Amino acid sequence: MTDQADQASPAESGTPEIPGKPTSASRTTLSHIMTHSDTNLLGTVHGGVIMKLVDDAAGAVAGRHSGGPAVTASMDEMAFLEPVRVGDLVHVKAQVNWTGRTSMEVGVRVLAERWNESAPATQVGSAYLVFAAVDADGKPRAVPPVLPETERDKRRYQEAQIRRTHRLARRRAIMELREKRAAEGYED
């Protein structure tokens, strides 16, 4: 499932135009209190626990936006900004930033606050994931275009396009290098 399949317009591919959905239609927040079973050897919450929450929230958003099953195709970036501790109430906020023909980028912000305090939540992480919408046979299916509503949504849409361009260029450069090495007789 590559982003390149997303370049064909509905008219070119013979599929009907799907009405767009506003960003707010699928925006979701998942909240979870961190416990001792979530910790790593340092006593803070394991990064993998946070990553699972991120993937869960992003998957819910992708499924809501696409109107059916969607699978994680890639995680472009996961940044951990602050440690999360036992007793933190973690809020994972996700929204669709960009859509192609069959895929969508979901942006995720991770916030944490002490469960028993009234201090504002602090951003502790962020991530960008690409999801592909699939049918019952696991084949890619078309998704509705996302309709950015606010200036922030518009900025996120533009930034997602830049990430997509970089992702495709990186993939292309790696494939060219592999082909060159194979032509030179190197086996990997």
Side-chain angles (χ1 to χ4, degrees), residues 9 14 28 41-42 49 60 68 86 89 92 101 109 114 117 137-138 153 160:
S9 72
T28 299
L41 296 174
L42 298 175
V49 170
V86 169
L89 177 57
V92 183
R101 192 176 59 79
R109 291 181 59 218
R114 295 306 296 172
E117 296 176 9
D137 297 323
D153 293 341

Side-chain angles (χ1 to χ4, degrees), residues 51-65:
M51 290 175 74
K52 180 171 183 341
L53 293 173
V54 164
D55 192 46
D56 288 347
V61 166
R64 289 175 78 173
H65 182 83

Side-chain angles (χ1 to χ4, degrees), residues 10 21 23 40-41 70 75 84 95 97 102 145 171 182:
K21 287 186 177 180
T23 306
N40 59 25
L41 296 174
M75 180 180 274
V84 177
Q95 76 171 47
N97 289 337
T102 61
R171 183 180 302 145

Side-chain angles (χ1 to χ4, degrees), residues 118-176:
S118 61
T122 303
Q123 184 171 356
V124 296
S126 65
Y128 300 101
L129 298 88
V130 177
F131 278 78
V134 295
D135 63 19
D137 297 323
K139 303 289 184 209
R141 63 180 175 81
V143 299
V146 68
L147 305 173
E149 299 173 279
T150 66
E151 286 305 313
R152 178 181 284 182
D153 293 341
K154 291 173 186 172
R155 175 186 53 81
R156 289 176 176 165
Y157 185 91
Q158 292 169 331
E159 290 173 357
Q161 289 178 306
I162 292 168
R163 281 186 290 276
R164 179 179 184 271
T165 299
H166 286 221
R167 187 171 54 254
L168 293 174
R170 183 177 61 239
R171 183 180 302 145
R172 193 170 32 255
I174 289 169
M175 294 309 293
E176 288 171 3

Side-chain angles (χ1 to χ4, degrees), residues 57-129:
V61 166
R64 289 175 78 173
H65 182 83
S66 69
V71 296
T72 310
S74 70
M75 180 180 274
D76 272 3
E77 184 177 320
M78 177 75 215
F80 296 99
L81 307 173
E82 298 284 336
V84 177
R85 305 193 186 298
V86 169
D88 282 352
L89 177 57
V90 172
H91 307 285
V92 183
K93 298 176 175 279
Q95 76 171 47
V96 173
N97 289 337
W98 174 90
T99 53
R101 192 176 59 79
T102 61
S103 69
M104 52 212 124
E105 182 196 90
V106 179
V108 181
R109 291 181 59 218
V110 183
L111 304 148
E113 60 182 302
R114 295 306 296 172
W115 70 273
N116 59 351
E117 296 176 9
S118 61
T122 303
Q123 184 171 356
V124 296
S126 65
Y128 300 101
L129 298 88

